[in-house]
Amino acid sequence: MSEMRVGYAKVPSFYAAVERLDDPGLRARPVLVGGNPDKGGKVQSATHEALEAGVEVGMLCERALALCPGAALCPTNMKRYRELSVLLQTSLRQVTEGIEGDGLAGAYFDIAAGSDHDDDEEDERTFARRMVKAVREDLGLGLRVGVAPVKFLARLAAEESDDDGFRFVANDQVAAFLSVLSPERLPGVGVKTRATLASLKIQTVEQLLKLDPREVENHLGAHGRRILGYARGEDEARIRTAAHRKTLSHEVTFEEPVVKRSAIEPRLAELCQTAEAGLRQQQLCASRVAIKLRYGAGKPETRSRKLVRPIVDAAEIYSAAKRLLDRTEVGQRPVTLLGVALAGLAPPAEIEATAQLDLFS
C-alpha cells in the first residue's frame, strides 16, 4: 500500500555557501558570514569547518574568529542571497512542481510513494539524486535531502543526511532515529524549555519519553504535551504546496539610519531591480506592490496598493513603490529598514489576457 511521505531539501550553511560560490579563493578556508566584529556583529552562517571548531550561529563574530582564527569573515549580502534563493526554488521546481519554501535555503515537498518495489528507500534516493544534480548543475551549490513520514522529521533527516546528501526515515525507523537526538532538535524547544529539560537531566529524546507525561506537563504545561508528541514523531502540520510563489519580497537593513529621501530612492530602485529578476526567472507577473519601512528601532510599517494591471518591469515596480513612499515619513524620520514586496503573483495566462503581450519580450 502506498503512503504519503514528506521531503525536505536544503542548502546547508546557505549564506557561507554562496560566498564560496562567488569567491573560489574561499573554498580552502572556513567561512563565516556576519556583522562587523568591532560593532558587536554576530555570526549568521558558517561552513562546516567553522562549526566543527566550535563556532555557533548567533555567536559574536569576535568570539567566532578566536575559535576559528583561519576563517574568512564575509559581510552579509542579503541581496545576493535572495537572488540565489529565487534560482534555488526554480531549480527545485524543475524536479517537483509543488513545493513549500522554508526560508531562503530550504523547501518541503510531497512524495507519493506509489512504487511497486519493496525498496522504497532506493526510489526516494533516486529522486533525491535528481534534486541534488539539478541544484549542483544549475547553481553550483550542494544540497541535502531528507524523506520521512512528517514535516519536522524530513527536516531532521536532511540535517542528518549521509555522505551522498540523503537520509530516508521509514515509519518503523522513526523511534530509533529520534531516540539518540537531543530534545533541543525538536520543534518548539527554545531556551527556556531546554533549560527545564536540562534541570531534569534529559539529554536525549529517549530519556524524555521515559519521563511520566504528567511530570513533563507539570514542568512545561500544555507545551509539554506538544513536545512529547514531537518526541513520538507526531506532526499534524501539512505542506502548503503551490506551483509558483504567491509573494516575493526583498529588503535591506541600514547599518546607519538614513533620513534623506534622495539616499533612500536609489536603494529602493535596487530592490525593484532584484524583484524584477525574480519575476522574470519564474515567468510571473505581480498585481500588488508594497513597501516596508522601519523608523529607528520601531516596528516595521507597510504601505501597499493594488495595480490597475499586472507588471513585471523594474521601472513600473519602482514607479508604484515611489508613490507609496509619498504616503510615508521618509525624508523626515530616520529609516533603518527598507523593503519591497510583490503579491498576487501568477503566470501571464492566469491574469488578464490583455496584459500578456510583450511582458517577457
Side-chain angles (χ1 to χ4, degrees):
M1 181 178 179
S2 66
E3 65 181 49
M4 183 65 72
R5 289 197 290 273
V6 177
Y8 183 77
K10 185 173 184 176
V11 176
S13 304
F14 182 59
Y15 296 178
V18 172
E19 295 298 338
R20 272 185 169 170
L21 177 70
D22 291 346
D23 183 356
L26 296 176
R27 293 176 186 174
R29 299 177 61 187
V31 175
L32 308 175
V33 174
N36 188 333
D38 297 330
K39 296 184 178 181
K42 295 183 179 181
V43 176
Q44 292 186 302
S45 182
T47 56
H48 70 92
E49 304 97 335
L51 296 173
E52 289 177 354
V55 173
E56 296 179 2
V57 173
M59 174 184 288
L60 289 173
C61 288
E62 183 178 21
R63 172 63 176 155
L65 289 170
L67 289 171
C68 192
L73 176 60
C74 301
T76 308
N77 185 352
M78 293 307 301
K79 178 182 177 182
R80 177 60 173 155
Y81 307 148
R82 291 191 182 98
E83 289 173 353
L84 265 293
S85 177
V86 171
L87 296 175
L88 173 63
Q89 299 267 331
T90 302
S91 184
L92 292 176
R93 284 194 170 94
Q94 291 176 356
V95 181
T96 179
E97 289 186 1
I99 67 173
E100 176 192 338
D102 180 49
L104 295 182
Y108 292 97
F109 54 93
D110 274 324
I111 294 181
S115 173
D116 294 329
H117 303 290
D118 292 334
D119 190 4
D120 287 335
E121 179 177 353
E122 190 55 40
D123 292 340
E124 310 304 2
R125 189 177 296 275
T126 299
F127 186 84
R129 283 174 180 155
R130 288 174 54 204
M131 279 193 158
V132 171
K133 183 172 183 284
V135 172
R136 183 177 62 247
E137 292 182 350
D138 292 347
L139 307 179
L141 294 171
L143 189 73
R144 292 181 181 175
V145 181
V147 174
V150 296
K151 284 181 76 171
F152 89 90
L153 282 173
R155 176 179 54 78
L156 289 177
E159 293 172 359
E160 296 292 316
S161 60
D162 53 27
D163 291 341
D164 67 354
F166 176 74
R167 180 71 180 264
F168 177 89
V169 179
N171 286 338
D172 59 1
Q173 298 171 337
V174 170
F177 173 73
L178 284 172
S179 66
V180 297
L181 298 181
S182 167
E184 68 183 50
R185 303 283 297 280
L186 299 175
V189 178
V191 176
K192 291 183 179 179
T193 303
R194 187 163 61 243
T196 300
L197 294 177
S199 71
L200 296 172
K201 302 190 184 310
I202 301 301
Q203 297 181 330
T204 67
V205 170
E206 182 178 34
Q207 291 173 337
L208 173 61
L209 288 174
K210 286 180 178 179
L211 285 179
D212 187 322
R214 289 171 296 185
E215 183 179 358
V216 175
E217 190 171 346
N218 238 5
H219 288 280
L220 298 173
H223 182 58
R225 292 198 299 272
R226 289 192 293 272
I227 299 300
L228 286 174
Y230 288 128
R232 292 188 292 266
E234 300 166 2
D235 186 3
E236 296 182 359
R238 296 293 177 261
I239 296 178
R240 300 181 299 274
T241 61
H244 57 77
R245 300 180 68 158
K246 299 301 182 183
T247 63
L248 190 66
S249 63
H250 302 281
E251 61 186 46
V252 60
T253 300
F254 303 116
E255 289 191 9
E256 300 292 337
V258 180
V259 176
K260 293 183 177 179
R261 177 163 174 155
S262 59
I264 290 287
E265 288 185 350
R267 303 306 297 273
L268 183 66
E270 290 176 7
L271 292 171
C272 293
Q273 290 168 0
T274 303
E276 177 191 349
L279 290 176
R280 290 191 181 279
Q281 178 67 34
Q282 299 182 63
Q283 294 196 343
L284 299 173
C285 301
S287 57
R288 179 176 287 276
V289 173
I291 62 171
K292 177 180 176 183
L293 294 164
R294 184 175 66 222
Y295 303 109
K299 294 182 178 180
E301 300 179 9
T302 60
R303 300 288 185 273
S304 68
R305 61 175 296 174
K306 184 173 175 58
L307 303 170
V308 176
R309 62 180 181 81
I311 62 175
V312 68
D313 290 329
E316 292 181 288
I317 299 171
Y318 180 55
S319 177
K322 277 183 66 178
R323 287 195 291 273
L324 291 172
L325 273 187
D326 295 337
R327 295 162 46 190
T328 71
E329 295 179 79
V330 168
Q332 303 170 47
R333 299 176 61 188
V335 176
T336 53
L337 181 144
L338 174 68
V340 170
L342 304 176
L345 306 188
E350 291 183 16
I351 311 181
E352 303 175 58
T354 55
Q356 294 179 22
L357 300 179
D358 300 325
L359 280 175
F360 298 102
S361 59

